[in-house]
Amino acid sequence: MASTSVSRVVPASPGRVWEVIGGFGSLPDWVPQIAESTPLEGGRVRRLVMGDGEVVVERLTGFSEGGRHYTYTIVEAPFPVAGYLATIRVHAVPGEPDSAEVEWSGRFHPLGSSDDEMVALFTGIYRDGLDALHTELAD
């Protein structure tokens, strides 16, 4: 099993950050590579359409409003992985009430690709998403 994790401190309080990213269907609001998110099964599943037209379907498997985190799996995607499980989590930064640390982590079994290739792919996705979030919150 391979895994990766990316963290980024962003210029907003943990509560404000969670308002932006805490909704399971909110990815298009802060990740420019995602064109749309359609909720399915009462919001427990999201169908994402990427900017290039690729479709990714993900299922929410855990959610904590108070803990400011959620966990999800991939149901369908063009990525050659199985057993994908990821978590997005917002942490307070001690002594900095107007900053928050956002951590996006995942683990998965590469299929027909090396661990290094899939780690690089998901590290890039997480990093680009958190960079976009930083830009969104800095405005």
Side-chain angles (χ1 to χ4, degrees), residues 33-66:
Q33 298 84 347
I34 300 177
E36 70 181 67
S37 177
T38 303
L40 305 169
E41 297 183 24
R44 305 262 322 150
V45 173
R46 63 185 177 196
R47 181 182 183 273
L48 305 172
V49 178
M50 311 305 281
D52 62 4
E54 293 278 5
V55 172
V56 177
V57 178
E58 298 172 333
R59 177 176 301 281
L60 183 66
T61 60
F63 183 88
S64 174
E65 184 75 34

PDB file of all heavy atoms in Angstrom, residues 33-66:
ATOM      1  N   GLN A  33      -9.357  22.687 -10.917  1.00  0.00           N
ATOM      2  CA  GLN A  33      -9.326  21.568 -11.855  1.00  0.00           C
ATOM      3  C   GLN A  33     -10.634  20.781 -11.865  1.00  0.00           C
ATOM      4  O   GLN A  33     -10.836  19.921 -12.705  1.00  0.00           O
ATOM      5  CB  GLN A  33      -8.165  20.613 -11.538  1.00  0.00           C
ATOM      6  CG  GLN A  33      -6.802  21.230 -11.659  1.00  0.00           C
ATOM      7  CD  GLN A  33      -6.354  21.986 -10.399  1.00  0.00           C
ATOM      8  OE1 GLN A  33      -7.119  22.265  -9.486  1.00  0.00           O
ATOM      9  NE2 GLN A  33      -5.084  22.342 -10.372  1.00  0.00           N
ATOM     10  N   ILE A  34     -11.523  21.061 -10.914  1.00  0.00           N
ATOM     11  CA  ILE A  34     -12.796  20.349 -10.841  1.00  0.00           C
ATOM     12  C   ILE A  34     -13.904  21.286 -11.312  1.00  0.00           C
ATOM     13  O   ILE A  34     -14.174  22.316 -10.693  1.00  0.00           O
ATOM     14  CB  ILE A  34     -13.072  19.830  -9.416  1.00  0.00           C
ATOM     15  CG1 ILE A  34     -11.948  18.861  -9.014  1.00  0.00           C
ATOM     16  CG2 ILE A  34     -14.442  19.156  -9.346  1.00  0.00           C
ATOM     17  CD1 ILE A  34     -12.039  18.333  -7.624  1.00  0.00           C
ATOM     18  N   ALA A  35     -14.521  20.915 -12.429  1.00  0.00           N
ATOM     19  CA  ALA A  35     -15.534  21.764 -13.048  1.00  0.00           C
ATOM     20  C   ALA A  35     -16.876  21.693 -12.337  1.00  0.00           C
ATOM     21  O   ALA A  35     -17.584  22.698 -12.240  1.00  0.00           O
ATOM     22  CB  ALA A  35     -15.695  21.387 -14.519  1.00  0.00           C
ATOM     23  N   GLU A  36     -17.254  20.505 -11.857  1.00  0.00           N
ATOM     24  CA  GLU A  36     -18.547  20.391 -11.180  1.00  0.00           C
ATOM     25  C   GLU A  36     -18.577  19.200 -10.240  1.00  0.00           C
ATOM     26  O   GLU A  36     -17.826  18.246 -10.407  1.00  0.00           O
ATOM     27  CB  GLU A  36     -19.696  20.305 -12.180  1.00  0.00           C
ATOM     28  CG  GLU A  36     -19.759  19.019 -12.960  1.00  0.00           C
ATOM     29  CD  GLU A  36     -20.924  18.995 -13.957  1.00  0.00           C
ATOM     30  OE1 GLU A  36     -20.877  19.780 -14.911  1.00  0.00           O
ATOM     31  OE2 GLU A  36     -21.850  18.183 -13.761  1.00  0.00           O
ATOM     32  N   SER A  37     -19.463  19.299  -9.261  1.00  0.00           N
ATOM     33  CA  SER A  37     -19.700  18.218  -8.299  1.00  0.00           C
ATOM     34  C   SER A  37     -21.202  18.032  -8.178  1.00  0.00           C
ATOM     35  O   SER A  37     -21.915  18.974  -7.840  1.00  0.00           O
ATOM     36  CB  SER A  37     -19.098  18.571  -6.940  1.00  0.00           C
ATOM     37  OG  SER A  37     -19.383  17.565  -5.982  1.00  0.00           O
ATOM     38  N   THR A  38     -21.654  16.827  -8.460  1.00  0.00           N
ATOM     39  CA  THR A  38     -23.076  16.509  -8.364  1.00  0.00           C
ATOM     40  C   THR A  38     -23.284  15.539  -7.207  1.00  0.00           C
ATOM     41  O   THR A  38     -22.686  14.461  -7.190  1.00  0.00           O
ATOM     42  CB  THR A  38     -23.571  15.853  -9.676  1.00  0.00           C
ATOM     43  OG1 THR A  38     -23.295  16.742 -10.759  1.00  0.00           O
ATOM     44  CG2 THR A  38     -25.063  15.564  -9.609  1.00  0.00           C
ATOM     45  N   PRO A  39     -24.128  15.932  -6.228  1.00  0.00           N
ATOM     46  CA  PRO A  39     -24.375  15.014  -5.109  1.00  0.00           C
ATOM     47  C   PRO A  39     -25.305  13.876  -5.536  1.00  0.00           C
ATOM     48  O   PRO A  39     -26.270  14.085  -6.268  1.00  0.00           O
ATOM     49  CB  PRO A  39     -25.039  15.904  -4.058  1.00  0.00           C
ATOM     50  CG  PRO A  39     -25.659  17.031  -4.825  1.00  0.00           C
ATOM     51  CD  PRO A  39     -24.820  17.211  -6.059  1.00  0.00           C
ATOM     52  N   LEU A  40     -25.003  12.685  -5.072  1.00  0.00           N
ATOM     53  CA  LEU A  40     -25.814  11.498  -5.322  1.00  0.00           C
ATOM     54  C   LEU A  40     -26.074  10.815  -3.987  1.00  0.00           C
ATOM     55  O   LEU A  40     -25.355  11.051  -3.010  1.00  0.00           O
ATOM     56  CB  LEU A  40     -25.086  10.539  -6.271  1.00  0.00           C
ATOM     57  CG  LEU A  40     -24.619  11.115  -7.614  1.00  0.00           C
ATOM     58  CD1 LEU A  40     -23.691  10.127  -8.313  1.00  0.00           C
ATOM     59  CD2 LEU A  40     -25.806  11.462  -8.480  1.00  0.00           C
ATOM     60  N   GLU A  41     -27.048   9.947  -3.949  1.00  0.00           N
ATOM     61  CA  GLU A  41     -27.357   9.159  -2.751  1.00  0.00           C
ATOM     62  C   GLU A  41     -27.462  10.031  -1.501  1.00  0.00           C
ATOM     63  O   GLU A  41     -26.860   9.756  -0.465  1.00  0.00           O
ATOM     64  CB  GLU A  41     -26.329   8.042  -2.555  1.00  0.00           C
ATOM     65  CG  GLU A  41     -26.323   7.028  -3.684  1.00  0.00           C
ATOM     66  CD  GLU A  41     -25.357   5.879  -3.461  1.00  0.00           C
ATOM     67  OE1 GLU A  41     -25.023   5.579  -2.296  1.00  0.00           O
ATOM     68  OE2 GLU A  41     -24.944   5.285  -4.470  1.00  0.00           O
ATOM     69  N   GLY A  42     -28.226  11.106  -1.623  1.00  0.00           N
ATOM     70  CA  GLY A  42     -28.446  11.979  -0.474  1.00  0.00           C
ATOM     71  C   GLY A  42     -27.217  12.737  -0.023  1.00  0.00           C
ATOM     72  O   GLY A  42     -27.128  13.153   1.126  1.00  0.00           O
ATOM     73  N   GLY A  43     -26.266  12.937  -0.915  1.00  0.00           N
ATOM     74  CA  GLY A  43     -25.050  13.671  -0.582  1.00  0.00           C
ATOM     75  C   GLY A  43     -23.910  12.807  -0.082  1.00  0.00           C
ATOM     76  O   GLY A  43     -22.816  13.305   0.178  1.00  0.00           O
ATOM     77  N   ARG A  44     -24.118  11.509   0.044  1.00  0.00           N
ATOM     78  CA  ARG A  44     -23.055  10.609   0.521  1.00  0.00           C
ATOM     79  C   ARG A  44     -22.089  10.244  -0.598  1.00  0.00           C
ATOM     80  O   ARG A  44     -21.020   9.691  -0.346  1.00  0.00           O
ATOM     81  CB  ARG A  44     -23.640   9.331   1.118  1.00  0.00           C
ATOM     82  CG  ARG A  44     -24.648   9.547   2.214  1.00  0.00           C
ATOM     83  CD  ARG A  44     -24.208   9.441   3.610  1.00  0.00           C
ATOM     84  NE  ARG A  44     -23.243   8.437   3.928  1.00  0.00           N
ATOM     85  CZ  ARG A  44     -22.363   8.582   4.909  1.00  0.00           C
ATOM     86  NH1 ARG A  44     -22.334   9.674   5.619  1.00  0.00           N
ATOM     87  NH2 ARG A  44     -21.508   7.622   5.190  1.00  0.00           N
ATOM     88  N   VAL A  45     -22.463  10.519  -1.838  1.00  0.00           N
ATOM     89  CA  VAL A  45     -21.617  10.255  -3.002  1.00  0.00           C
ATOM     90  C   VAL A  45     -21.542  11.540  -3.811  1.00  0.00           C
ATOM     91  O   VAL A  45     -22.526  12.279  -3.911  1.00  0.00           O
ATOM     92  CB  VAL A  45     -22.209   9.103  -3.865  1.00  0.00           C
ATOM     93  CG1 VAL A  45     -21.438   8.923  -5.157  1.00  0.00           C
ATOM     94  CG2 VAL A  45     -22.230   7.799  -3.070  1.00  0.00           C
ATOM     95  N   ARG A  46     -20.362  11.829  -4.364  1.00  0.00           N
ATOM     96  CA  ARG A  46     -20.221  12.978  -5.252  1.00  0.00           C
ATOM     97  C   ARG A  46     -19.671  12.505  -6.588  1.00  0.00           C
ATOM     98  O   ARG A  46     -18.773  11.669  -6.642  1.00  0.00           O
ATOM     99  CB  ARG A  46     -19.342  14.067  -4.641  1.00  0.00           C
ATOM    100  CG  ARG A  46     -17.898  13.657  -4.371  1.00  0.00           C
ATOM    101  CD  ARG A  46     -17.136  14.762  -3.657  1.00  0.00           C
ATOM    102  NE  ARG A  46     -15.779  14.343  -3.330  1.00  0.00           N
ATOM    103  CZ  ARG A  46     -14.995  14.957  -2.463  1.00  0.00           C
ATOM    104  NH1 ARG A  46     -15.439  16.036  -1.824  1.00  0.00           N
ATOM    105  NH2 ARG A  46     -13.778  14.519  -2.222  1.00  0.00           N
ATOM    106  N   ARG A  47     -20.242  13.041  -7.643  1.00  0.00           N
ATOM    107  CA  ARG A  47     -19.771  12.770  -9.006  1.00  0.00           C
ATOM    108  C   ARG A  47     -19.060  14.032  -9.470  1.00  0.00           C
ATOM    109  O   ARG A  47     -19.691  15.078  -9.647  1.00  0.00           O
ATOM    110  CB  ARG A  47     -20.932  12.443  -9.933  1.00  0.00           C
ATOM    111  CG  ARG A  47     -20.496  12.122 -11.349  1.00  0.00           C
ATOM    112  CD  ARG A  47     -21.709  11.842 -12.247  1.00  0.00           C
ATOM    113  NE  ARG A  47     -21.306  11.465 -13.580  1.00  0.00           N
ATOM    114  CZ  ARG A  47     -21.051  12.312 -14.572  1.00  0.00           C
ATOM    115  NH1 ARG A  47     -21.151  13.628 -14.358  1.00  0.00           N
ATOM    116  NH2 ARG A  47     -20.686  11.872 -15.761  1.00  0.00           N
ATOM    117  N   LEU A  48     -17.748  13.921  -9.610  1.00  0.00           N
ATOM    118  CA  LEU A  48     -16.925  15.064  -9.995  1.00  0.00           C
ATOM    119  C   LEU A  48     -16.626  15.007 -11.483  1.00  0.00           C
ATOM    120  O   LEU A  48     -16.296  13.941 -12.013  1.00  0.00           O
ATOM    121  CB  LEU A  48     -15.610  15.058  -9.223  1.00  0.00           C
ATOM    122  CG  LEU A  48     -15.713  15.004  -7.697  1.00  0.00           C
ATOM    123  CD1 LEU A  48     -14.337  14.806  -7.087  1.00  0.00           C
ATOM    124  CD2 LEU A  48     -16.369  16.262  -7.169  1.00  0.00           C
ATOM    125  N   VAL A  49     -16.728  16.148 -12.139  1.00  0.00           N
ATOM    126  CA  VAL A  49     -16.303  16.264 -13.527  1.00  0.00           C
ATOM    127  C   VAL A  49     -15.085  17.168 -13.522  1.00  0.00           C
ATOM    128  O   VAL A  49     -15.140  18.319 -13.067  1.00  0.00           O
ATOM    129  CB  VAL A  49     -17.410  16.838 -14.434  1.00  0.00           C
ATOM    130  CG1 VAL A  49     -16.895  16.986 -15.860  1.00  0.00           C
ATOM    131  CG2 VAL A  49     -18.645  15.952 -14.389  1.00  0.00           C
ATOM    132  N   MET A  50     -13.982  16.618 -14.011  1.00  0.00           N
ATOM    133  CA  MET A  50     -12.733  17.364 -14.059  1.00  0.00           C
ATOM    134  C   MET A  50     -12.775  18.330 -15.239  1.00  0.00           C
ATOM    135  O   MET A  50     -13.595  18.179 -16.150  1.00  0.00           O
ATOM    136  CB  MET A  50     -11.550  16.404 -14.200  1.00  0.00           C
ATOM    137  CG  MET A  50     -11.571  15.229 -13.212  1.00  0.00           C
ATOM    138  SD  MET A  50     -11.672  15.718 -11.494  1.00  0.00           S
ATOM    139  CE  MET A  50      -9.988  16.157 -11.201  1.00  0.00           C
ATOM    140  N   GLY A  51     -11.866  19.281 -15.263  1.00  0.00           N
ATOM    141  CA  GLY A  51     -11.797  20.247 -16.351  1.00  0.00           C
ATOM    142  C   GLY A  51     -11.583  19.610 -17.711  1.00  0.00           C
ATOM    143  O   GLY A  51     -12.015  20.137 -18.731  1.00  0.00           O
ATOM    144  N   ASP A  52     -10.952  18.435 -17.737  1.00  0.00           N
ATOM    145  CA  ASP A  52     -10.704  17.739 -19.005  1.00  0.00           C
ATOM    146  C   ASP A  52     -11.838  16.781 -19.372  1.00  0.00           C
ATOM    147  O   ASP A  52     -11.738  16.042 -20.348  1.00  0.00           O
ATOM    148  CB  ASP A  52      -9.377  16.982 -18.946  1.00  0.00           C
ATOM    149  CG  ASP A  52      -9.344  15.896 -17.876  1.00  0.00           C
ATOM    150  OD1 ASP A  52     -10.377  15.660 -17.217  1.00  0.00           O
ATOM    151  OD2 ASP A  52      -8.277  15.285 -17.697  1.00  0.00           O
ATOM    152  N   GLY A  53     -12.920  16.784 -18.571  1.00  0.00           N
ATOM    153  CA  GLY A  53     -14.065  15.931 -18.855  1.00  0.00           C
ATOM    154  C   GLY A  53     -14.046  14.577 -18.164  1.00  0.00           C
ATOM    155  O   GLY A  53     -15.050  13.862 -18.175  1.00  0.00           O
ATOM    156  N   GLU A  54     -12.916  14.189 -17.583  1.00  0.00           N
ATOM    157  CA  GLU A  54     -12.847  12.919 -16.845  1.00  0.00           C
ATOM    158  C   GLU A  54     -13.812  12.961 -15.664  1.00  0.00           C
ATOM    159  O   GLU A  54     -14.043  14.017 -15.067  1.00  0.00           O
ATOM    160  CB  GLU A  54     -11.430  12.674 -16.317  1.00  0.00           C
ATOM    161  CG  GLU A  54     -10.395  12.441 -17.395  1.00  0.00           C
ATOM    162  CD  GLU A  54     -10.375  11.014 -17.912  1.00  0.00           C
ATOM    163  OE1 GLU A  54     -11.226  10.210 -17.504  1.00  0.00           O
ATOM    164  OE2 GLU A  54      -9.503  10.715 -18.745  1.00  0.00           O
ATOM    165  N   VAL A  55     -14.364  11.800 -15.310  1.00  0.00           N
ATOM    166  CA  VAL A  55     -15.320  11.699 -14.207  1.00  0.00           C
ATOM    167  C   VAL A  55     -14.710  10.877 -13.075  1.00  0.00           C
ATOM    168  O   VAL A  55     -14.095   9.835 -13.308  1.00  0.00           O
ATOM    169  CB  VAL A  55     -16.640  11.050 -14.690  1.00  0.00           C
ATOM    170  CG1 VAL A  55     -17.573  10.759 -13.519  1.00  0.00           C
ATOM    171  CG2 VAL A  55     -17.320  11.943 -15.711  1.00  0.00           C
ATOM    172  N   VAL A  56     -14.900  11.373 -11.865  1.00  0.00           N
ATOM    173  CA  VAL A  56     -14.476  10.670 -10.663  1.00  0.00           C
ATOM    174  C   VAL A  56     -15.702  10.596  -9.744  1.00  0.00           C
ATOM    175  O   VAL A  56     -16.374  11.614  -9.527  1.00  0.00           O
ATOM    176  CB  VAL A  56     -13.318  11.405  -9.945  1.00  0.00           C
ATOM    177  CG1 VAL A  56     -12.942  10.694  -8.658  1.00  0.00           C
ATOM    178  CG2 VAL A  56     -12.113  11.551 -10.865  1.00  0.00           C
ATOM    179  N   VAL A  57     -15.980   9.414  -9.218  1.00  0.00           N
ATOM    180  CA  VAL A  57     -17.085   9.243  -8.276  1.00  0.00           C
ATOM    181  C   VAL A  57     -16.482   8.829  -6.934  1.00  0.00           C
ATOM    182  O   VAL A  57     -15.682   7.892  -6.880  1.00  0.00           O
ATOM    183  CB  VAL A  57     -18.096   8.183  -8.775  1.00  0.00           C
ATOM    184  CG1 VAL A  57     -19.218   7.993  -7.757  1.00  0.00           C
ATOM    185  CG2 VAL A  57     -18.663   8.584 -10.137  1.00  0.00           C
ATOM    186  N   GLU A  58     -16.871   9.551  -5.885  1.00  0.00           N
ATOM    187  CA  GLU A  58     -16.316   9.297  -4.549  1.00  0.00           C
ATOM    188  C   GLU A  58     -17.441   9.149  -3.530  1.00  0.00           C
ATOM    189  O   GLU A  58     -18.480   9.790  -3.657  1.00  0.00           O
ATOM    190  CB  GLU A  58     -15.389  10.448  -4.139  1.00  0.00           C
ATOM    191  CG  GLU A  58     -14.202  10.588  -5.083  1.00  0.00           C
ATOM    192  CD  GLU A  58     -13.363  11.818  -4.852  1.00  0.00           C
ATOM    193  OE1 GLU A  58     -13.893  12.834  -4.345  1.00  0.00           O
ATOM    194  OE2 GLU A  58     -12.174  11.775  -5.194  1.00  0.00           O
ATOM    195  N   ARG A  59     -17.193   8.306  -2.530  1.00  0.00           N
ATOM    196  CA  ARG A  59     -18.180   8.049  -1.466  1.00  0.00           C
ATOM    197  C   ARG A  59     -17.644   8.547  -0.129  1.00  0.00           C
ATOM    198  O   ARG A  59     -16.527   8.212   0.282  1.00  0.00           O
ATOM    199  CB  ARG A  59     -18.479   6.564  -1.371  1.00  0.00           C
ATOM    200  CG  ARG A  59     -19.451   6.205  -0.226  1.00  0.00           C
ATOM    201  CD  ARG A  59     -19.821   4.738  -0.202  1.00  0.00           C
ATOM    202  NE  ARG A  59     -20.452   4.317  -1.441  1.00  0.00           N
ATOM    203  CZ  ARG A  59     -21.739   4.537  -1.756  1.00  0.00           C
ATOM    204  NH1 ARG A  59     -22.508   5.185  -0.918  1.00  0.00           N
ATOM    205  NH2 ARG A  59     -22.231   4.102  -2.901  1.00  0.00           N
ATOM    206  N   LEU A  60     -18.450   9.335   0.563  1.00  0.00           N
ATOM    207  CA  LEU A  60     -18.132   9.811   1.904  1.00  0.00           C
ATOM    208  C   LEU A  60     -18.234   8.635   2.868  1.00  0.00           C
ATOM    209  O   LEU A  60     -19.255   7.953   2.913  1.00  0.00           O
ATOM    210  CB  LEU A  60     -19.116  10.907   2.304  1.00  0.00           C
ATOM    211  CG  LEU A  60     -18.907  11.589   3.637  1.00  0.00           C
ATOM    212  CD1 LEU A  60     -17.615  12.396   3.630  1.00  0.00           C
ATOM    213  CD2 LEU A  60     -20.098  12.511   3.931  1.00  0.00           C
ATOM    214  N   THR A  61     -17.168   8.389   3.630  1.00  0.00           N
ATOM    215  CA  THR A  61     -17.188   7.266   4.570  1.00  0.00           C
ATOM    216  C   THR A  61     -17.091   7.712   6.028  1.00  0.00           C
ATOM    217  O   THR A  61     -17.340   6.914   6.932  1.00  0.00           O
ATOM    218  CB  THR A  61     -16.045   6.268   4.276  1.00  0.00           C
ATOM    219  OG1 THR A  61     -14.792   6.950   4.398  1.00  0.00           O
ATOM    220  CG2 THR A  61     -16.199   5.665   2.894  1.00  0.00           C
ATOM    221  N   GLY A  62     -16.725   8.960   6.250  1.00  0.00           N
ATOM    222  CA  GLY A  62     -16.634   9.483   7.603  1.00  0.00           C
ATOM    223  C   GLY A  62     -16.692  10.993   7.572  1.00  0.00           C
ATOM    224  O   GLY A  62     -16.190  11.619   6.635  1.00  0.00           O
ATOM    225  N   PHE A  63     -17.329  11.588   8.581  1.00  0.00           N
ATOM    226  CA  PHE A  63     -17.477  13.039   8.616  1.00  0.00           C
ATOM    227  C   PHE A  63     -17.555  13.499  10.062  1.00  0.00           C
ATOM    228  O   PHE A  63     -18.285  12.899  10.868  1.00  0.00           O
ATOM    229  CB  PHE A  63     -18.756  13.463   7.882  1.00  0.00           C
ATOM    230  CG  PHE A  63     -18.957  14.952   7.812  1.00  0.00           C
ATOM    231  CD1 PHE A  63     -18.412  15.689   6.784  1.00  0.00           C
ATOM    232  CD2 PHE A  63     -19.685  15.614   8.795  1.00  0.00           C
ATOM    233  CE1 PHE A  63     -18.593  17.065   6.713  1.00  0.00           C
ATOM    234  CE2 PHE A  63     -19.860  16.987   8.746  1.00  0.00           C
ATOM    235  CZ  PHE A  63     -19.319  17.710   7.697  1.00  0.00           C
ATOM    236  N   SER A  64     -16.827  14.556  10.396  1.00  0.00           N
ATOM    237  CA  SER A  64     -16.896  15.138  11.732  1.00  0.00           C
ATOM    238  C   SER A  64     -16.918  16.655  11.611  1.00  0.00           C
ATOM    239  O   SER A  64     -15.895  17.268  11.278  1.00  0.00           O
ATOM    240  CB  SER A  64     -15.708  14.711  12.585  1.00  0.00           C
ATOM    241  OG  SER A  64     -15.729  15.401  13.829  1.00  0.00           O
ATOM    242  N   GLU A  65     -18.072  17.235  11.861  1.00  0.00           N
ATOM    243  CA  GLU A  65     -18.202  18.693  11.844  1.00  0.00           C
ATOM    244  C   GLU A  65     -17.318  19.297  12.934  1.00  0.00           C
ATOM    245  O   GLU A  65     -16.541  20.212  12.687  1.00  0.00           O
ATOM    246  CB  GLU A  65     -19.668  19.086  12.059  1.00  0.00           C
ATOM    247  CG  GLU A  65     -19.928  20.569  11.956  1.00  0.00           C
ATOM    248  CD  GLU A  65     -19.911  21.071  10.524  1.00  0.00           C
ATOM    249  OE1 GLU A  65     -20.323  20.341   9.615  1.00  0.00           O
ATOM    250  OE2 GLU A  65     -19.488  22.226  10.329  1.00  0.00           O
ATOM    251  N   GLY A  66     -17.416  18.768  14.151  1.00  0.00           N
ATOM    252  CA  GLY A  66     -16.634  19.284  15.269  1.00  0.00           C
ATOM    253  C   GLY A  66     -15.140  19.066  15.104  1.00  0.00           C
ATOM    254  O   GLY A  66     -14.333  19.914  15.480  1.00  0.00           O
TER     255      GLY A  66
END
